[in-house]
């Protein structure tokens, strides 16, 4: 029995996820973070997702063998299922029209699928839970800062009535009374809404209070920019998302309290506290977002600031 336990513990320690940071894991995490942030940045500025610089495609291709080797994916059934899906996808494009393999965006689409199937799938096999959390929080933090910067630029263009056209295919500025951020107003609001929800998740996941304060402050220009887009869907979805994440935060607080005060907490307590808090957050944010644009225009016309 003891030999079986020692053998099982030895297998756990020898698995890739059980090990700490190695040089291979660090290199793999850095390259994956670069690929992920570049993809999200292209999405944020309205650039063509498939039309990326050569260095990004090289990094993606480098990630694939590293994920297979470090994560030992050949031992995972899921990897072979995804590989079969990739081969079927390739054959579906190649058999009807072989010339399409080298036409337009097909090569980039195939390479993107190859990266997603191998490198991203291996991400959870190479790194353990704590390592993966750190890498993803780092990527989320960089992207959130970028979204906040674009939001600040959009607010500036709305205030000065000057369009900015250097990063994406569409200018940043006011068009027909609504703020466009490299996209039409509704799509711009969706991108900023995702940034706000990601920021909320980061605030829940980070442990240091000063970091939470920084990310809460980064949400202010995003909320102001999303109000200037005048998107009704964003008006409702963003307060609903933040309200729900607040509800999750109450349950997270309850679980930590339950660990310290075992036996004295009630199962119904997070529901009684979370539902009213969620409703209050939703209504307050909805009312605030609806009032931002009139107040902004009032100050803009009178040039009070």
């Amino acid at each position: 029995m003891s030999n079986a336990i020692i053998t099982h513990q030895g297998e756990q320690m020898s698995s890739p996820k059980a090990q700490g940071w190695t040089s291979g894991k660090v290199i793999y995490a850095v390259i994956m973070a670069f690929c992920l942030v570049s993809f999200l940045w292209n999405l944020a500025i309205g650039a063509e997702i498939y039309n990326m610089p050569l260095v990004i495609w090289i990094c993606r291709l480098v990630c694939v063998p590293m994920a297979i080797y470090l994560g030992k994916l050949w031992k995972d059934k899921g990897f072979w299922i995804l590989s079969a899906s990739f081969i079927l996808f390739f054959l579906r494009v190649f058999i009807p029209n072989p010339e399409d393999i080298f036409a337009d965006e097909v090569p980039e689409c195939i390479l993107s699928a190859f990266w997603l199937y191998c490198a991203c799938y291996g991400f959870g096999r190479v790194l353990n839970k704590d390592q993966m959390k750190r890498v993803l929080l780092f990527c989320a933090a960089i992207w959130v800062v970028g979204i906040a910067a674009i939001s600040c630029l959009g607010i500036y263009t709305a205030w000065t009535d000057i369009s900015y056209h250097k990063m994406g295919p569409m200018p940043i500025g006011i068009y027909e009374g609504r703020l466009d951020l490299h996209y039409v107003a509704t799509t711009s609001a969706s991108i900023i809404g995702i940034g706000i929800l990601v920021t909320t998740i980061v605030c829940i996941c980070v442990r240091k209070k000063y970091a939470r304060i920084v990310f809460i402050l980064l949400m202010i220009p995003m909320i102001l920019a999303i109000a200037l887009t005048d998107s009704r869907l964003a008006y409702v979805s963003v307060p609903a998302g933040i309200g729900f994440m607040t509800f999750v935060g109450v349950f997270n607080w309850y679980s930590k309290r339950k660990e310290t005060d075992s036996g004295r907490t009630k199962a119904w307590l997070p529901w009684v506290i979370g539902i009213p808090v969620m409703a209050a957050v939703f209504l307050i944010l909805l009312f605030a977002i609806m009032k931002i644009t009139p107040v902004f225009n009032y100050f803009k016309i009178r040039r009070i600031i």
Side-chain angles (χ1 to χ4, degrees):
M1 182 68 180
S2 60
N3 292 334
I5 294 174
I6 293 173
T7 303
H8 178 67
Q9 290 177 347
E11 291 176 353
Q12 285 184 333
M13 291 300 295
S14 61
S15 63
K17 294 177 67 174
Q19 299 174 358
W21 285 105
T22 62
S23 57
K25 282 187 176 184
V26 172
I27 296 173
Y28 172 76
V30 170
I31 297 176
M32 280 294 294
F34 173 74
C35 293
L36 182 59
V37 171
S38 62
F39 174 82
L40 294 174
W41 180 248
N42 272 25
L43 181 67
I45 65 173
E48 296 181 9
I49 296 176
Y50 296 117
N51 188 18
M52 292 185 178
L54 180 61
V55 62
I56 297 178
W57 291 114
I58 294 175
C59 290
R60 285 186 171 188
L61 292 176
V62 169
C63 283
V64 173
M66 292 187 68
I68 296 174
Y69 174 74
L70 295 174
K72 298 181 179 179
L73 297 186
W74 61 85
K75 297 181 179 180
D76 197 314
K77 295 179 181 179
F79 169 71
W80 294 108
I81 294 174
L82 288 174
S83 298
S85 300
F86 172 75
I87 293 173
L88 291 175
F89 171 74
F90 181 82
L91 293 176
R92 181 178 176 272
V93 176
F94 180 76
I95 292 176
N97 299 299
E99 65 277 4
D100 288 346
I101 292 296
F102 303 100
D104 298 331
E105 298 173 349
V106 174
E108 290 86 352
C109 185
I110 293 175
L111 289 175
S112 296
F114 190 49
W115 177 65
L116 290 172
Y117 285 176
C118 297
C120 293
Y121 181 77
F123 193 66
R125 271 66 182 172
V126 176
L127 306 180
N128 58 39
K129 183 178 179 180
D130 182 64
Q131 293 169 343
M132 192 161 49
K133 179 181 177 181
R134 291 184 180 184
V135 174
L136 292 178
L137 280 178
F138 175 76
C139 295
I142 293 178
W143 191 64
V144 163
V145 171
I147 294 294
I150 293 176
S151 300
C152 291
L153 184 58
I155 295 168
Y156 173 77
T157 58
W159 181 262
T160 58
D161 292 323
I162 300 175
S163 296
Y164 184 84
H165 194 317
K166 286 187 178 180
M167 289 187 293
M170 295 180 63
I172 296 179
I174 295 294
Y175 181 72
E176 295 183 353
R178 306 174 71 181
L179 178 62
D180 291 348
L181 299 173
H182 298 309
Y183 290 100
V184 295
T186 52
T187 309
S188 300
S190 301
I191 298 296
I192 301 174
I194 295 173
I196 292 174
L197 295 182
V198 170
T199 308
T200 308
I201 295 172
V202 172
C203 289
I204 294 175
C205 293
V206 295
R207 297 177 181 177
K208 297 182 179 179
K209 292 183 179 180
Y210 73 87
R212 292 181 179 177
I213 294 173
V214 170
F215 284 109
I216 290 173
L217 292 176
L218 289 175
M219 266 198 285
I220 296 176
M222 298 185 203
I223 294 175
L224 181 55
I226 209 171
L228 295 175
T229 61
D230 196 26
S231 173
R232 300 295 185 269
L233 179 61
Y235 281 6
V236 177
S237 60
V238 170
I242 296 178
F244 178 75
M245 295 308 300
T246 306
F247 183 72
V248 173
V250 171
F251 269 83
N252 187 29
W253 161 80
Y254 171 76
S255 63
K256 292 180 180 178
R257 183 180 177 184
K258 189 177 181 180
E259 293 175 357
T260 56
D261 302 332
S262 58
R264 287 184 287 179
T265 55
K266 304 297 182 181
W268 46 263
L269 183 62
W271 294 93
V272 173
I273 298 176
I275 293 177
V277 170
M278 178 177 63
V281 170
F282 172 77
L283 293 175
I284 291 172
L285 286 176
L286 179 63
F287 178 79
I289 292 175
M290 293 177 64
K291 293 296 181 181
I292 284 176
T293 302
V295 173
F296 181 86
N297 291 331
Y298 175 84
F299 281 91
K300 177 182 176 180
I301 293 173
R302 287 160 179 78
R303 296 294 180 182
I304 296 178
I305 298 179

